Amino acid sequence: MAQDHRARQYASTHQRIYEAAMELFAEHGYEDVSIARLAAAAGVSVQTFYAHYPGKDELLMALPERAEIDALIATVPADRPLGERMRSAILGFVRGLTGNVRSDALARWQLIATTSRLRYRAAEYERATAQLFLESLGVEKDTAAAVVVTAHLSAYTQGLLRWADSGDEPALEGIVQEALDALREL
């Protein structure tokens, strides 16, 4: 029972820090908000902030869990070509972004798109996510597979950046599909 209470308290504090940060970023811009200011706005110490997030960047970007990637990959038959599996998994994930989750993703990607340092960090996360996909697929040592997976994730990232720039007009699904379609033209 005490462990459940601690987990709920941790999750509540985690969310409170995130929400305070998003408000401050919207009001003052990402670069002009210090961690001390974020912590104060959330009503926590700087030490507590770091117990929840390694830094400001991680408020906006996080690597997916391996189980999430495994679940995405499992939605597409294993006998399909790798490019088709990646395309279907990405589009399935995008279709699942609805309601508040989608609004939150748009707000985060708008910050990423307008902050050069975050755009650079997004590329790092893209490469790390590609490695997770390769491991999930069991092809981490296959050069051709690495090219296919990284190309699809790069197209996805480009779609997200264009979506952020557009303010959701056109919709994310169409932009990501267009970015993935560009790979078929190569």
Side-chain angles (χ1 to χ4, degrees), residues 6-165:
R6 275 190 232 116
R8 283 192 307 274
Q9 186 176 18
Y10 181 90
S12 175
T13 301
H14 198 78
Q15 186 64 26
R16 190 171 70 248
I17 293 168
Y18 175 79
E19 289 171 0
M22 291 303 285
E23 286 179 30
L24 287 172
F25 294 156
E27 190 175 327
H28 303 286
Y30 179 82
E31 299 291 350
D32 292 334
V33 177
S34 69
I35 289 178
R37 189 173 183 184
L38 283 172
V44 300
S45 68
V46 170
Q47 183 178 359
T48 298
F49 172 89
Y50 282 116
H52 286 265
Y53 296 98
K56 278 192 333 182
D57 296 358
E58 290 77 14
L59 278 159
L60 301 174
M61 294 181 274
L63 286 174
E65 296 291 326
R66 173 68 187 270
E68 293 173 289
I69 292 173
D70 291 346
L72 278 173
I73 293 298
T75 65
V76 184
D79 65 343
R80 305 304 311 151
L82 181 56
E84 186 178 321
R85 291 180 76 195
M86 287 299 299
R87 177 185 176 83
S88 293
I90 290 168
L91 290 173
F93 175 77
V94 167
R95 282 191 285 280
L97 292 176
T98 60
N100 289 339
V101 173
R102 184 185 186 100
S103 299
D104 183 58
L106 179 59
R108 284 185 295 107
W109 277 95
Q110 286 174 325
L111 283 167
I112 293 166
T114 57
T115 308
S116 60
R117 188 171 105 69
L118 291 175
R119 285 177 77 106
Y120 179 80
R121 290 296 312 273
E124 291 176 12
Y125 279 83
E126 177 187 302
R127 286 189 300 277
T129 302
Q131 186 60 40
L132 291 171
F133 267 93
L134 290 165
E135 291 168 7
S136 178
L137 291 160
V139 293
E140 59 268 23
K141 303 228 185 283
D142 183 329
T143 302
V147 169
V148 170
V149 168
T150 57
H152 280 80
L153 288 173
S154 180
Y156 170 63
T157 300
Q158 289 305 307
L160 288 169
L161 291 168
R162 285 198 47 231
W163 175 58
D165 289 340

